[in-house]
Amino acid sequence: MSKHRKFYRACALILALSFVFCLLCGCNAEDDTERETSNKNKTTSQKNENSQNKPQGKVVALTYDDGPHNVRTKLIADELEKYGYHATFFVVGNRVDGKTYNGSAALKYVYEKGNEVAIHGYTHSVYYDECDDARYGRELSRTYDAIKEVVPDAKVRLMRPIGGRITEDRTSECDYSVIMWSVDSEDWKYKGRGENGELAEENINTIVENVMSQVKSGDIILMHDIYENTYEATKIILKRLHDEGYDVVSVSELLGSRAKAGTKYSRLPS
Ligand SMILES: [Zn+2]
């Protein structure tokens, strides 16, 4: 074999080897991309599973009772959206179906922004440790029906008794998780305006301090979306919670898969 031929053969061999090597590299690169993507998906799904089971970092659930209100409930939902936060709205059935008020648009609005909607009562005129079984059943079922009529896809898992009052038997037999609270804003006490009809800063600040002086991770905060001072206080509370590094979520997001029907929760169990 001539020197030249040997040289050409060696070149051809190197070329062939390079080609095979490149192919393998190419495959590896693709594999890596796939692996990375699948790891990413796995991390996301693990994260979702984890956040279902236990929220990471400082987190509180914000709850609003007695609505919906076509102005204030929507304004609160807009404020929550600014921070990517969610809340749970425990609604009054006859304010949803138009019997006493037509808040269906507000209910739809908050739900479509990713908030949770849940049951308070149909008339808000009886306590669940006093009324008879038939009345108690109707208060819940008519509120459920009113919600589903407006937002059929909503998963209704929670109930907050009127005044937080319910018998132990009704709690344990309840088809929903029974949700109380661990921080009371007492916003209903401080709902008024000033003497000259101006917004009462003092009242708003009291609501804010009632929440901010007590709040800690895992709490469920009680407010009422029908009052204008509650909306004003909400703006300040959300900013301060955000500045203090809190995530604000709905009750179902806070409790995750641990939430059981027929069980009472006042905060995230430790
Ligand atoms: Zn109420």
Side-chain angles (χ1 to χ4, degrees):
M1 199 183 287
S2 74
K3 264 186 190 171
H4 282 179
R5 192 170 282 181
K6 259 189 190 168
F7 176 70
Y8 289 137
R9 273 203 178 171
C11 286
L13 192 66
I14 287 164
L15 268 175
L17 281 172
S18 310
F19 181 65
V20 171
F21 188 65
C22 282
L23 270 183
L24 285 174
C25 284
C27 283
N28 277 340
E30 262 174 39
D31 279 348
D32 282 344
T33 314
E34 266 174 35
R35 213 173 296 132
E36 216 175 272
T37 315
S38 98
N39 277 345
K40 248 185 212 162
N41 289 341
K42 211 169 157 191
T43 316
T44 313
S45 78
Q46 271 171 353
K47 209 172 153 192
N48 287 342
E49 267 171 39
N50 286 342
S51 62
Q52 276 256 309
N53 292 324
K54 194 166 185 166
Q56 309 291 308
K58 293 202 290 185
V59 62
V60 287
L62 193 49
T63 67
Y64 293 92
D65 291 7
D66 298 359
H69 185 287
N70 281 330
V71 177
R72 290 158 197 166
T73 307
K74 286 181 176 177
L75 287 172
I76 288 168
D78 289 343
E79 208 58 32
L80 288 162
E81 193 180 33
K82 283 185 192 168
Y83 299 92
Y85 287 164
H86 293 145
T88 301
F89 291 81
F90 292 94
V91 302
V92 175
N94 69 16
R95 291 181 64 88
V96 173
D97 69 7
K99 286 285 184 320
T100 63
Y101 180 86
N102 195 345
S104 58
L107 183 80
K108 197 160 185 281
Y109 190 83
V110 295
Y111 175 71
E112 285 176 353
K113 289 191 182 295
N115 298 288
E116 179 171 35
V117 293
I119 295 170
H120 196 23
Y122 186 75
T123 61
H124 206 287
S125 62
V126 288
Y127 292 120
Y128 304 159
D129 60 353
E130 279 181 356
C131 63
D132 62 36
D133 285 346
R135 180 66 187 271
Y136 167 65
R138 273 201 313 275
E139 288 287 327
L140 269 56
S141 65
R142 291 181 74 182
T143 307
Y144 177 87
D145 292 345
I147 293 171
K148 294 297 268 188
E149 182 72 29
V150 178
V151 284
D153 297 337
K155 290 188 173 57
V156 182
R157 303 189 180 97
L158 315 177
M159 187 276 286
R160 171 169 283 153
I162 307 301
R165 289 172 52 177
I166 185 168
T167 61
E168 288 308 313
D169 283 352
R170 282 180 182 166
T171 298
S172 58
E173 285 161 19
C174 192
D175 293 335
Y176 308 97
S177 299
V178 177
I179 306 301
M180 312 301 273
W181 56 88
S182 51
V183 174
D184 188 351
S185 69
E186 296 195 319
D187 55 349
W188 58 274
K189 273 193 201 171
Y190 301 97
K191 63 185 177 195
R193 281 190 160 230
E195 274 175 15
N196 302 317
E198 77 285 5
L199 269 179
E201 298 260 328
E202 240 181 77
N203 283 350
I204 294 162
N205 290 337
T206 304
I207 298 167
V208 172
E209 287 315 314
N210 284 346
V211 173
M212 297 310 298
S213 64
Q214 299 182 63
V215 73
K216 55 199 175 305
S217 190
D219 273 331
I220 296 176
I221 302 167
L222 169 66
M223 300 188 86
H224 299 81
D225 48 324
I226 49 176
Y227 306 124
E228 65 176 348
N229 286 354
T230 300
Y231 164 60
E232 296 297 331
T234 292
K235 288 194 281 188
I236 303 168
I237 290 167
L238 293 186
K239 165 123 190 20
R240 284 181 55 180
L241 288 172
H242 181 260
D243 290 348
E244 291 185 21
Y246 278 96
D247 195 10
V248 178
V249 299
S250 68
V251 174
S252 282
E253 286 167 334
L254 179 79
L255 298 177
S257 55
R258 78 187 65 208
K260 305 271 183 294
T263 306
K264 195 183 272 185
Y265 299 91
S266 301
R267 68 183 322 282
L268 181 67
S270 46

